[in-house]
Amino acid sequence: MLKKIIAKITNIVLGVLVTVYIVLEELVWENIAEPIYRFIHGLAILRKAEALIDRLNRHVLLVLFLALFIQVELLGIFALKLIGTGKVVAGTALYAGKIPVAAFTFWLFRIAKEKLMTFGWFKQAYDLILLLIERIKASAIHQSIAARLKEVKEWLKIRLYPARLLISKIMETLRTSITSEKSSR
């Protein structure tokens, strides 16, 4: 009897965590953060930054990456805390505000990954995180919730399409103005 109660409580907690993971990471990443990441990655000015980053010492890269990563994760946790305590607008605004920093951090990681992986403990932590994500995604509870949320995801994609289109237009306008400003010099 006690085992069944513990199993049900565990399933509820896992269900909530998996739902939060799916909604915040997959929906937010696909609809908002990924276009920002593509914009950042496509900026010509950042190619110079990429070359500079490539020349940095691996220890400097580690400190820079960890500072950004920890900031992004703490902001996400604090945003969820705000949402969980009923301050939905403030929590959502904070979460949305962290997205450009997260996209930049992701960009930095992609550039510095080879050097960061030279730290044995960092590579082990990275591999462990990937393993945990794979196990979560392969779990029955994740697949069940993902199947249930598929309809919600499609509904949200339709609802968020105008915002996604607006973000794309803004980024294209910024890219065009940066390119035209650069060519006028």
Side-chain angles (χ1 to χ4, degrees), residues 5-139:
I5 293 172
I6 291 172
K8 286 188 182 218
I9 291 172
T10 302
N11 281 341
I12 290 170
V13 170
L14 286 174
V16 169
L17 292 175
V18 168
T19 302
V20 168
Y21 169 79
I22 290 170
V23 170
L24 294 180
E25 297 303 324
E26 292 185 15
L27 290 177
V28 172
W29 176 258
E30 287 177 11
N31 291 301
I32 300 169
E34 189 174 20
I36 293 171
Y37 167 75
R38 283 195 313 265
F39 172 74
I40 289 171
H41 187 67
L43 289 174
I45 193 167
L46 289 182
R47 290 194 185 100
K48 291 178 183 177
E50 287 179 14
L52 173 69
I53 289 167
D54 195 44
R55 290 190 304 265
L56 287 176
N57 176 293
R58 70 187 189 115
H59 293 91
V60 173
L61 283 172
L62 179 67
V63 169
L64 179 62
F65 172 76
L66 288 177
L68 289 169
F69 179 78
I70 290 168
Q71 174 193 8
V72 165
E73 294 307 315
L74 289 175
L75 286 172
I77 291 167
F78 189 63
L80 289 175
K81 181 182 178 228
L82 287 173
I83 292 169
T85 58
K87 299 173 184 163
V88 177
V89 173
T92 303
L94 181 60
Y95 195 86
K98 84 166 195 138
I99 291 173
V101 180
F104 179 80
T105 305
F106 184 72
W107 171 80
L108 177 65
F109 177 76
R110 290 291 185 208
I111 295 167
K113 184 177 180 182
E114 186 177 322
K115 285 185 180 180
L116 291 172
M117 293 301 163
T118 63
F119 293 97
W121 65 268
F122 188 90
K123 181 170 180 2
Q124 287 177 344
Y126 178 74
D127 290 343
L128 179 63
I129 289 169
L130 290 181
L131 178 66
L132 290 173
I133 290 171
E134 286 176 25
R135 285 190 178 166
I136 288 169
K137 287 184 174 181
S139 71

Side-chain angles (χ1 to χ4, degrees), residues 39 167-177:
F39 172 74
I167 290 169
S168 294
K169 286 181 181 179
I170 290 170
M171 289 188 196
E172 184 59 37
T173 303
L174 287 171
R175 188 177 288 122
T176 303
S177 67

